[in-house]
Every structure is written in C-alpha cells, then in structure tokens.
Amino acid sequence: MRSGFLRMKLHCFDRTFIRYSHSLNAVQLPAPMETHLWYVNPSEVKSESLLKQYLDILSPCERENVLRLQGKELRKSALLARALVRTTITKYQMSSPVEPRSLKFRKNVHGKPEVCWPSIDDWDPPPLHFNLSHTSSLIACGVTINSQIGIDVEEKQRSIKHNILSFARRYFSKYEVELLAAISDPQIQQREFIKLWTLKEAYVKALGKGFSGAPFKTFTIRFRGVMEGDSEAFNESSTKGFEIVVDSLDDPTDVSNIWHFSLLELDGSHYAAICTEKQSALDGKINIPGKLMVWKTIPIVEDEYVSGTDAVKIICGFQ
Amino acid sequence: MASFTASSVSISSAFCSFNQTQGSNLRKASVSFSGKSFPSQRLSLPRFRVSCAAKPETVNKVVEIVKKQLALPDDRPVAGDSKFQVLGADSLDTVEIVMGLEEEFGICVEEESAQSITTVQEAADLIEELLEKK
C-alpha cells in the first residue's frame, strides 16, 4: 500500500528521472564510522555531450557560476564538481524521489554547504553529511552519516610561489614549522608541506566555520606514534603505527579526542586528507577504527570501486 | 582546491576619512557594490557602509600580484571587480595572494579579513584601510 502511494507520487516527476534511478546503482548509506569517497579525474571525461548532460543537471545559479569562470579547464572541473556532488548524494536514496537536478543546497550559519532535502510524505531523507574538494586534476566528494566531514585534495607535486618555510612561518604553527624545517630534502619537504596543508584544510572544513573559524596558526596537526603516545619526528617511511592528531592552541578541550584524520594517495598523483568526528565523540562508545570505501567515478556513466587497488594508498588513518 | 566561502556582500567595511588638507589627495566617497561605483553626496547611508575606492596604483599592484600568483597571461583583463575564484584561484592561491600583498605593502591581514576578500577591489580597499591604521 505504502509503495503504491509512493509510486503515485513519483508520477508527478519527469519520466527521465525514473529511468535514472533504475540505471545507476543505488548505494547503501555509509555505516557509522564508515567514510565514502567518490572521485573523478577530469582528463577522463572527454565527451562534449556528457559535459552538456552535466550542465543540464546543475541549478541555474550553479550553471551561471560555472560559465562565468575563465578558462576551459577551470570551467570543466567546476562543472564536474557540481555534477559529482549532485549525482553522488542522490545515489544514497533508497527510493529515489529526488533526482540530481532537483537537489537543493543551502549554507549553514557559517557558510558550509549542506543538502536541503524536500519534505515528502512517507519519506525520510538520507541522514548524510558531505564535503567536496577539487583541484583542476581531481575532484572528490566525501560522504558520512552522523559525522561532520571535511576533505581536501591536492596534487602531490603542487608547488607554491613562496618559499615553503616562509609560508609555514606565516601560516602554520610553531611545531609544524620546526617539523618542516627539519626536513633537508627539498622534495620531501615539499610533499610533507602539501600533506600538512591538506590535513589542515580538511580540519577547518570539517569544523565548518570557515578559514577564520580556526586560523591555521592556532592548531597543530602532527603524526603521533600509536604505541608510545608521544610525537615522533616525521619520517616518510615510518608512518605505519602512527595516527594523525590535532592540538588546538585556543581550545582547552582535547580536540584530538573528537577528530579523526586520515591521509591517502589517490591515483598515485594526489593527496587526499579526510577529517571526521570520532565515534566516541558522537555517542560515547569506544572508538572502532573506521572503514574507508573509495569509488572512482564518471558521473552518470560508471562507478569503479577502487579500495584495495593501487589507485588508493592509505598513508595513515584507516585500517 | 575549492573551499566554500560564506556569501559576503562585496562592500568594504572601511569608513572613509576625508583628508581635506591634502587637496590633491582628496578621495571621493563612494558607495560601491558589484564593482560599479558612483559618487554619493551623503557620507553614510543607513544600510550601506561607505568605502573609499582605493588608489589606482594600489589596484594595479594587486592586479600584478594576482596575475603573477595565478600565472595569467599579460593580456588577460583583470580589473577591480575580478573575482579571484573566477580567475582560477583555489584556497592555496588565495592564501598566497594575501601573503604576497602583506609582503608588498608591509601589512598584516587577519584571517577574518582575508576570508572576506574575494575581488581585486576588496583587496585594494583593505590594503589602504590597513595602511591608514599604521
């Protein structure tokens, strides 16, 4: 009876979306403490007609924003970012009353984007959180239930215009500067800088208060030996047995008990940092190590589950 | 990487101080939004904050720094109303631009202010506001 009622409601919508909901796999919501990561490589999306389809599922405002950008590659990655987030989120509906193009977003009081689900009779929206990050060469969307999430991706080889230590002295904490300064190999130093940058960005995005909500200088992110419990000088080959923790200079509470960090390498070319709330912080239960599930996707076309393959190398933070 | 920014109205929050002793340096008070500015008779309007349009030299310097950071070709048009994000800046670029401006002008930009700079004009206006405070 109930499903018949829902079917009746579905007839109010455009027929194409019904085809969509059957054609591409609906995905189970993440379990608690599970993180889902979906990413797309823009260079693998070549079809102009596909890009037109993506443009078609954006809101008029998003479309306008994309077309305003200067540069074809810039427009393409911005377009893919919106297409990725819309198609990813709608995958998690058990019955699909909302199609990608109908999804609405809003910003919370601090400006962090969240989904604005419609209220439909006899239907509960999936209780998910998401966060998006993109570079010109990779776009990623992280999804969790119940937990705040922040992600950041960056090319491993990304170089900055300023001297790394000058930049770090201006923006990073004293501890982080000392750590970077202790690295003599410039290539390793550059990579560790990028890792730190993505981790710090992911934290700020998870907090959801914007850059000024947690100025970079006011917190330290470091690798801590899991056994010993004290911090070790970071060594590129020795990240096993380490966890990533955050210390806040401003916040007297032990924020490392709240936030879980993980760092991955995607497709051998990008670092991805993920920050989520720990289970114990959410419901007082003992921490269970989280599971990560990663899909490489071409929105609308195909999803490839890549966890456990060479495409995903876990540097720290997940089993 | 693109990070979200809170939607912000692009009006500088600086109140203008008329420098009437320096005739040639007299700045026009103007209400500017959406990059278009027009002279206003009144100093302060109930709902809008008055901003001083920054000196052209300041704007040009900002344009130079932005173009360098984003490796834009010389002939790419960049003006006061150009948004960093539209030009292709991600959050790391924006932070570097702010750092470049700090170095160039000898100022220090707080995170709250940095977060609200989205265009060349806003950067130039903030720079002049900070220079005035020094």
Side-chain angles (χ1 to χ4, degrees), chain A residues 62-305:
Chain A
E62 288 170 344
R63 207 171 299 141
E64 212 180 283
N65 288 338
V66 163
L67 295 173
R68 193 182 303 162
L69 296 174
Q70 293 178 6
K72 194 159 170 240
E73 293 309 311
L74 189 61
R75 281 192 293 272
K76 187 179 176 185
S77 65
L79 172 60
L80 283 170
R82 298 318 304 166
L84 177 68
V85 73
R86 284 176 173 274
T87 53
T88 298
I89 288 172
T90 46
K91 278 186 173 63
Y92 288 100
Q93 303 167 98
M94 282 306 110
S95 51
S96 316
V98 184
E99 57 171 39
R101 81 181 65 219
S102 313
L103 212 52
K104 290 204 195 313
F105 295 92
R106 65 172 167 230
K107 290 189 171 155
N108 77 359
V109 62
H110 299 294
K112 183 171 184 181
E114 50 186 39
V115 184
C116 183
W117 293 103
S119 92
I120 297 174
D121 290 348
D122 297 322
W123 179 76
D124 294 317
L128 51 82
H129 297 257
F130 74 93
N131 196 237
L132 189 61
S133 173
H134 76 270
T135 68
S136 55
S137 45
L138 195 130
I139 299 137
C141 182
V143 181
T144 52
I145 59 161
N146 303 329
S147 153
Q148 293 299 324
I149 177 170
I151 74 166
D152 194 59
V153 295
E154 192 51 80
E155 286 172 24
K156 276 168 66 176
Q157 314 270 41
R158 170 81 181 252
S159 59
I160 58 169
K161 295 286 184 297
H162 288 87
N163 168 272
I164 283 175
L165 290 180
S166 303
F167 185 96
R169 276 186 206 107
R170 172 62 185 87
Y171 287 109
F172 286 6
S173 73
K174 190 162 166 285
Y175 179 96
E176 291 163 342
V177 174
E178 281 169 13
L179 192 105
L180 288 170
I183 302 172
S184 50
D185 183 323
Q187 277 195 334
I188 296 178
Q189 190 192 63
Q190 178 270 331
R191 284 203 297 270
E192 296 320 309
F193 167 78
I194 295 295
K195 286 179 190 172
L196 254 185
W197 171 267
T198 56
L199 285 162
K200 289 173 87 74
E201 274 276 289
Y203 176 60
V204 170
K205 291 174 79 183
L207 287 175
K209 293 192 205 142
F211 201 51
S212 64
F216 272 24
K217 246 194 210 299
T218 64
F219 64 92
T220 290
I221 290 189
R222 60 192 171 88
F223 289 77
R224 182 170 73 185
V226 172
M227 293 309 206
E228 302 83 25
D230 26 19
S231 43
E232 304 264 337
F234 177 68
N235 181 320
E236 209 177 271
S237 61
S238 65
T239 44
K240 286 198 166 37
F242 281 83
E243 58 173 353
I244 301 167
V245 295
V246 61
D247 300 318
S248 170
L249 301 176
D250 287 345
D251 194 331
T253 64
D254 188 1
V255 288
S256 68
N257 274 341
I258 302 172
W259 298 104
H260 174 265
F261 290 89
S262 43
L263 188 64
L264 330 164
E265 209 179 277
L266 291 175
D267 282 1
S269 55
H270 289 74
Y271 290 130
I274 305 173
C275 178
T276 52
E277 286 174 284
K278 287 184 177 177
Q279 180 83 43
S280 54
L282 291 169
D283 58 16
K285 294 190 180 135
I286 299 166
N287 273 329
I288 311 156
K291 186 183 170 193
L292 174 70
M293 298 179 75
V294 186
W295 288 265
K296 182 164 180 170
T297 176
I298 296 178
I300 300 178
V301 176
E302 67 180 29
D303 302 325
E304 190 192 342
Y305 184 67

